[in-house]
Amino acid sequence: MHTYSINLNERTTAIGIIGILSLLIILGIHKYLPAGFPAPSVLALFSGIVFIFDKWAWRWGIFQRTFIKTPDLNGQWTMLTTSSLKDAEKYEAILTIKQTWTRIFLFMDGEKTTGSSLMAGIEIK
């Protein structure tokens, strides 16, 4: 999988919210734990939340209805493609997409060819 670009500012917003949330959680934990009791650092909690958000949480309805507009393209798609080599010949292919919030991989398995992505971008209109 590789990173992909998107024409939205939601990644900056989400990372900022996760940073503030991590800080507030750690401050809350320290307030109620006995002195000297080990607790995770803000960075450790931030990293864990970002990992969970990147893999799964960004797809949840609550985030998709509020500030996450990145489409979930995971799955297999049937596509009709046109050859650039043989007089614009058209043929069907299966496009498999594996996606997280920040990474994506596309694999096309067609009647006459296969291919995979090296880079990608999503433009939201």
Side-chain angles (χ1 to χ4, degrees), residues 104-123:
I104 197 166
F105 179 73
L106 297 92
F107 178 75
M108 182 190 75
D109 186 14
E111 296 171 359
K112 300 181 182 185
T113 188
T114 60
S116 61
S117 61
L118 299 175
M119 61 183 176
I122 298 175
E123 183 175 351

Side-chain angles (χ1 to χ4, degrees), residues 49 52-64 68:
I49 293 173
I52 290 167
F53 192 83
D54 182 51
K55 297 286 184 189
W56 303 287
W58 70 277
R59 295 185 193 126
W60 297 350
I62 188 166
F63 298 121
Q64 289 287 328
I68 299 299

Side-chain angles (χ1 to χ4, degrees), residues 73-77 94-98 105-109:
L73 302 173
N74 278 292
Q76 286 193 331
W77 304 80
I94 301 294
L95 180 66
T96 303
I97 301 176
K98 295 180 181 179
F105 179 73
L106 297 92
F107 178 75
M108 182 190 75
D109 186 14

